[in-house]
Amino acid sequence: MSDAVSSRSAAPGSLNDRGVGVLGGGRMGAGIAHAFLLAGARVDVVERDAGAADAAVQRIGDSIRRSAERDPDLDPAETASRLHVGVDLARFSGAALVIEAVPEDRMLKHDALARVDAVLGEGAVLASNTSSISIDDLAAAVRDPGRFLGLHFFNPVPASALVEIVRGSATDDRVVDLARGWVQSLGKTPITVSDSPGFASSRLGVMLGLEAIRMLEEGVASAEDIDTAMTLGYRHPMGPLRTTDIVGLDVRLGIAEELARELGERFAPPELLRTMVTEGRLGRKSGEGFYVWNEER
């Protein structure tokens, strides 16, 4: 897929012709790229090597095709023409916005952000898709923390309606305003929170998910009945255990460990969660977690 200029409006909000960069083309990075492509942006995705880049092309291409099946007005060829996937960080030099979407590991993100920051152009905004790591902590990796913030997208990105904007102590008001406009241009609702462990969404969501896992571990009820208690009793669109499967048990474990370090033992991961991750039962992406996943689910 090339980086040919769109025949539609160039990009959402004030991104204009500069486009969007996404570092990492895994499930989250691909979903973020897909969302900006559907909004009319040019998108550069950079991966660690050629094999990962090829996988990202396939992943995003499949998402575009599924969107075209649902929306007859979407031209999949034109949409794909605005995507470039490769391994050269220099592709980000002209972007108005670059979003880091590498795995939820502090040191990995520090390294990734420093490398992206070194090639960013004047006036560009740099964001992390972290779901739990302090924005002020990550800001230590960049030269200008005023242009850095968190943009926490939710999995699956195409179906989620929310993006959590996390402002660090040094984030410029202008950057927050730009981010709100970009999120709205994607058809999603932004909320703005101050930097704190787990922000708002992960802190609340993980607490509920961990308690549900403890209940399952203690034999209080089955996974299905625990989830039904929340979907029918509290009108949650999805139960906490099914949500954990979609997020990924390894991702949820990493967030819980981060929150336990920052906020104390109430976020300590249950042994059942650790065991399932060790066994490779990571949820939907591995085919099995608290539920068995297949093409029909």
Side-chain angles (χ1 to χ4, degrees):
M1 294 182 182
S2 73
D3 58 349
V5 176
S6 170
S7 60
R8 298 168 59 186
S9 58
S14 58
L15 294 176
N16 300 321
D17 293 329
R18 295 179 64 184
V20 180
V22 180
L23 181 64
R27 183 182 295 275
M28 288 304 299
I32 293 167
H34 175 231
F36 278 101
L37 286 166
L38 293 190
R42 292 186 303 108
V43 179
D44 276 292
V45 176
V46 173
E47 261 291 3
R48 63 185 181 276
D49 56 42
D54 289 344
V57 170
Q58 182 67 46
R59 194 174 290 119
I60 299 168
D62 288 345
S63 293
I64 292 171
R65 283 188 287 275
R66 287 193 294 271
S67 292
E69 290 170 1
R70 295 189 294 269
D71 180 5
D73 293 328
L74 180 68
D75 182 343
E78 186 280 325
T79 303
S81 77
R82 290 183 275 105
L83 172 68
H84 181 277
V85 182
V87 298
D88 185 4
L89 284 171
R91 297 285 311 188
F92 293 156
S93 62
L97 167 67
V98 176
I99 302 169
E100 166 271 305
V102 304
E104 192 76 354
D105 176 274
R106 178 183 275 100
M107 296 309 297
L108 183 62
K109 286 185 179 291
H110 268 267
D111 176 68
L113 289 166
R115 289 188 293 114
V116 173
D117 185 63
V119 302
L120 281 187
E122 185 71 25
V125 173
L126 178 58
S128 174
N129 185 51
T130 181
S131 53
S132 64
I133 301 172
S134 166
I135 294 302
D136 283 347
D137 180 326
L138 295 177
V142 305
R143 294 167 295 174
D144 179 8
R147 67 174 178 178
F148 178 63
L149 78 170
L151 283 180
H152 178 203
F153 288 79
F154 291 78
N155 185 24
V157 177
S160 69
L162 177 70
V163 177
E164 191 173 33
I165 298 172
V166 187
R167 63 181 308 155
S169 59
T171 306
D172 289 342
D173 290 342
R174 178 191 69 86
V175 170
V176 175
D177 290 342
L178 283 172
R180 289 184 66 85
W182 292 333
V183 170
Q184 290 167 343
S185 74
L186 300 178
K188 300 184 186 298
T189 298
I191 62 170
T192 304
V193 302
S194 297
D195 187 31
S196 62
F199 318 133
S201 59
S202 291
R203 189 165 170 176
L204 290 170
V206 168
M207 177 59 78
L208 179 60
L210 294 178
E211 189 59 28
I213 296 169
R214 291 189 190 98
M215 291 170 63
L216 183 63
E217 189 174 51
E218 295 166 6
V220 172
S222 68
E224 291 85 352
D225 285 349
I226 291 169
D227 278 353
T228 300
M230 300 311 296
T231 57
L232 298 186
Y234 288 85
R235 298 189 178 182
H236 288 198
M238 188 181 303
L241 296 173
R242 189 175 294 276
T243 299
T244 299
D245 268 9
I246 290 175
V247 169
L249 275 70
D250 53 338
V251 174
R252 183 136 283 182
L253 175 60
I255 296 171
E257 290 175 334
E258 177 73 20
L259 292 178
R261 282 191 292 270
E262 297 290 335
L263 298 174
E265 282 300 305
R266 68 187 188 274
F267 285 98
E271 192 57 37
L272 176 59
L273 178 58
R274 294 188 185 279
T275 299
M276 292 177 70
V277 170
T278 299
E279 293 174 349
R281 291 188 287 158
L282 306 181
R284 184 173 65 176
K285 61 186 172 185
S286 71
E288 182 181 359
F290 297 108
Y291 296 87
V292 175
W293 295 82
N294 54 46
E295 292 299 324
E296 286 70 44
R297 275 191 180 270

